Each structure stands twice: as C-alpha cells, then as structure tokens.
Amino acid sequence: MSDKARGFDIYRKIPKDLTQPTTTGAAISIICVSFISILIFIELYYFITPEVVSELFVDIPESGQADRIPVHIDISVLNIACQYVGIDIQDDLGRHEVGFIDNTLKTPENNGLGCRINASFKINRVPGNFHISTHSSNIQPEYGDMKHVIHELTFGDSIKGFRRIPNRKAFHPLRRFNNTNRPSHISHDYLMKIVPTIYEDLGYVRRYPYQFTFVYR
C-alpha cells in the first residue's frame, strides 16, 4: 500500500549518488543563505528597536504647567562681580521682579571680577523677558561689561537620562554659547520662541520639555 502511495509523489528525491555539487550551485546557496540571514537580522533589529513617533498637539493641559513654564539658566558674566548682578523678570501680565533671588546661586569667578549665576524659576506663558542686569544693586559697577558665556538654558522638564530623543540640540541651542568676542559696554538681546513638547519613554514616563529657537542681536 505504501509503495502505491509513493507512486503519487511529484517531488521525487534524486539519489545522492546521482547528484554532483558545483561551484555555481555553492555560490547561489551562499548568496541565498546570506540574503535570508540579513533579512532575519533586519527584521529582528526593527522588532527590538523602539520607534520614536512625533505628534503635533495644540496644547498640553495634562502637564500641569498650563500657566507657568520652568526655566533653568546657568550663565557666567565675566567682568561684573556677584554683588552687582541679578536676574530681572517681567511680562505682559504685569509681573516685574528685579533681582530675583529664590533658587539662585551666585559663584564668584575670575578672581572675584566675574560671577556665575545658576538659577531656576518659572515664567508665565505670555510674552515677556528675563535678563541679567545690575538694576537690583544700589551701587553700580564702574564698567558695565556684560560679556558672558551661557553654560545652559532650558525650558520645562529636564531630558537628562532620555537617550532616544531626535534633534536633542533643539532643547538647548544656547548650551556653551560664548559671547566674549563682542565689544564691551553693549547690551545683548536674545529673541526666543519656545514650543511645548511631550516625551514619553517605553515605561510610559512622561516629560514636558520645551524646544526653542533664538535670534541674537
């Protein structure tokens, strides 16, 4: 019965002693195996690699920052001592703070001739500005040279520890910005536009940083 069933086999096996390996056949076999292996590797890579998806939102009300935006600044003013410089904040809602001191650390630099300011504060989501000045000092320095180096300036939550973020520089374009080659006794203005961003990792942990662009004049 089994012999009769085998008679219907259309994929009949050729006896091994009737086959002969060839160089062409070996090359084709190697190419096929390599091609299949590459396809498997690529599919496996895309399977285990997280996908970064970008979406556009009108607003981010769930962030809890609908009214105020956290700001962190780390800046060195090279030629004005710490006793003279401070942070001023003002906006179109009528806020006007001169010499903001909360969460502000001043460290003397350049043998006391300069000052490094590290501060964190919040601003309203309306047009306004914050700036480094000597307005809060009762005694003004002899020379008002505002040459500076911006070590860090960020808005919103920190993205430290988050690796797979596209265009990471857009979150801190002023990092290590050196402004010491400008003439003395001039003002330095940065016009900035900031955009809210939601970043969610694979553990569903959300951060709310802000991307921004600037124009120096």
Side-chain angles (χ1 to χ4, degrees), residues 188-201:
H188 306 271
D189 299 320
Y190 299 85
L191 303 180
M192 292 180 285
K193 290 186 177 181
I194 64 176
V195 179
T197 307
I198 300 175
Y199 181 80
E200 183 177 86
D201 65 6

Side-chain angles (χ1 to χ4, degrees), residues 27-42:
I28 295 175
S29 299
I30 293 174
I31 292 174
C32 291
V33 171
S34 300
F35 183 71
I36 294 173
S37 300
I38 292 173
L39 287 179
I40 293 175
F41 175 78
I42 292 175

Side-chain angles (χ1 to χ4, degrees), residues 159 165-175 211-212 214:
I159 59 173
I165 297 182
N167 196 20
R168 177 180 290 267
K169 190 175 181 180
F171 295 93
H172 45 70
L174 281 171
R175 174 179 287 180
Q211 302 179 56
F212 70 96
F214 75 95

